[in-house]
Amino acid sequence: MKLIKTFDGFLRGHFNFESIVKSVLAISLIQLIVIGLGVNLNFSHLAIPLLYFFTRKTANKAEPSVGEFFFHYSLAVLIILLPSLFAFKLIGSLVFAYVLTYLMLLYKEMKSIQPSNSNQSVLGFIGFFCNFLIAGLIVRAIFFVVTYSFADFGVEYVFFQTGLAVSLFLFSLFSLFNYQEGNKVLLNQGTEFVVTKTDTHALHTKFEDKERVIIEFFETSDDFLANSFSLEDLADAVNLNKQEVSTVINHQLNSSFYHMVAQYRILHAKELLQVRNNLTIEAIVEECGFSSKSTFNKYFKLFVGKTPSVYRNQIV
């Protein structure tokens, strides 16, 4: 039971955008190595349930359970092994149906995601992966029809498989680079406004209405813990337009939207470190809405003055 809880915490801590992209990057690299070794196994299928769980989580915050994880990945492993275990031509149709089913699930979840400036990279990556799956289905369908009719196509299937794996690897690498560069820009912004929940109560009387409603939102709501939380979301929540919110945060509060969100997320992280000892650091990163452990660590050290691990050890 303890092992299952530990694994569940591990899963929750690794379903963020950076971890997903790194995983897909690694899977595509493994696929290229397998192709180079002449082994007829399509390891790219391992990325499909991963993207499905991530897309579902982004859409409705539904975390995969340990049971779901093992079920989906047991099915993925079976689909990978089937073509090499059985020589029947109709096995390809099972693989086709497997991929098509996930495509429909991904499309269903994507429709529930509200586009915003903060999740453009996420939606772009999911969209590319769906196109990657569609391209694979088209190639598989062509080869299935041709080989089933015993025609001599004259081109090896591995040629197209290699091209797809290379495109997935390069796009994942490009997405990871862009995401990490974006995080560096955010970390270089000013950090003059540092808050604690007790401080904000004392300051309420000094704030004008716009300042007060913004502070009260962060004190009374957990919406900012969502990974996709954006300036548009904050503006809608406090009934102001984006320009008003940005002006108040930048000039009256001497901060920026991203730093203000990060500061309140770190306050929440400190509370989790104090009261939930069973959570791993990775799980806390996920629960606080950070997209990567490295970003969480940098902000935590910036606002608390020490790493999360050191802080936890000191309060135990």
Side-chain angles (χ1 to χ4, degrees), residues 31 34-35 37-43 80-81 83-84 157 161:
Q31 181 60 39
V34 167
I35 292 172
L37 294 174
V39 180
N40 185 27
L41 294 174
N42 192 349
F43 281 92
I80 291 171
L81 296 177
S84 61
Y157 176 71
Q161 195 177 30

Side-chain angles (χ1 to χ4, degrees), residues 3 27 128 216 220 291 296:
L3 181 62
I27 289 170
F128 175 85
E216 286 179 349
T220 60
S291 297
F296 171 72

Side-chain angles (χ1 to χ4, degrees), residues 72-106:
H72 283 263
Y73 267 93
S74 296
L75 191 59
V77 171
L78 182 62
I79 290 296
I80 291 171
L81 296 177
L82 272 178
S84 61
L85 294 175
F86 302 97
F88 302 117
K89 292 180 179 179
L90 289 178
I91 291 296
S93 63
L94 293 177
V95 178
F96 189 94
Y98 169 81
V99 177
L100 185 60
T101 300
Y102 269 104
L103 261 174
M104 291 188 293
L105 290 173
L106 283 166

Side-chain angles (χ1 to χ4, degrees), residues 134-148:
I134 292 170
L137 288 180
I138 293 172
V139 171
R140 182 172 290 277
I142 292 173
F143 271 85
F144 176 77
V145 171
V146 171
T147 55
Y148 192 74

Side-chain angles (χ1 to χ4, degrees), residues 9-25:
F10 174 83
L11 286 180
R12 294 179 63 190
H14 284 77
F15 275 95
N16 56 68
F17 183 60
E18 184 174 12
S19 296
I20 294 298
V21 175
K22 286 180 178 178
S23 298
V24 174
L25 185 65

Side-chain angles (χ1 to χ4, degrees), residues 215-239:
I215 294 297
E216 286 179 349
F217 167 81
F218 282 102
E219 287 191 334
T220 60
S221 173
D222 290 333
D223 290 350
F224 63 88
L225 297 176
N227 181 262
S228 60
F229 186 72
S230 65
L231 180 61
E232 292 92 333
D233 297 328
L234 176 57
D236 290 341
V238 297
N239 295 317

Side-chain angles (χ1 to χ4, degrees), residues 183-300:
N183 279 342
K184 288 179 183 178
V185 171
L186 295 181
L187 286 170
N188 287 331
Q189 294 179 2
T191 59
E192 295 178 17
F193 178 66
V194 179
V195 299
T196 66
K197 290 192 175 182
T198 53
D199 289 340
T200 54
H201 285 299
L203 289 171
H204 274 180
T205 55
K206 300 179 182 179
F207 289 156
E208 298 296 331
D209 288 344
K210 293 178 182 179
E211 298 168 286
R212 185 182 301 112
V213 294
I214 292 174
I215 294 297
E216 286 179 349
F217 167 81
F218 282 102
E219 287 191 334
T220 60
S221 173
D222 290 333
D223 290 350
F224 63 88
L225 297 176
N227 181 262
S228 60
F229 186 72
S230 65
L231 180 61
E232 292 92 333
D233 297 328
L234 176 57
D236 290 341
V238 297
N239 295 317
L240 298 171
N241 62 51
K242 290 197 307 180
Q243 185 60 46
E244 287 177 307
V245 173
S246 182
T247 299
V248 170
I249 293 176
N250 292 340
H251 298 291
Q252 272 65 53
L253 301 179
N254 296 318
S255 184
S256 70
F257 168 75
Y258 291 106
H259 269 77
M260 193 167 185
V261 170
Q263 287 159 9
Y264 276 97
R265 286 176 174 176
I266 293 301
L267 286 176
H268 184 67
K270 289 172 66 177
E271 293 176 359
L272 292 178
L273 287 167
Q274 292 170 15
V275 301
R276 298 181 64 180
N277 294 330
N278 62 313
L279 285 182
T280 63
I281 297 297
E282 288 78 9
I284 291 175
V285 171
E286 182 69 16
E287 189 158 329
C288 291
F290 287 99
S291 297
S292 70
K293 185 177 178 181
S294 60
T295 303
F296 171 72
N297 285 337
K298 289 176 182 177
Y299 275 123
F300 198 96

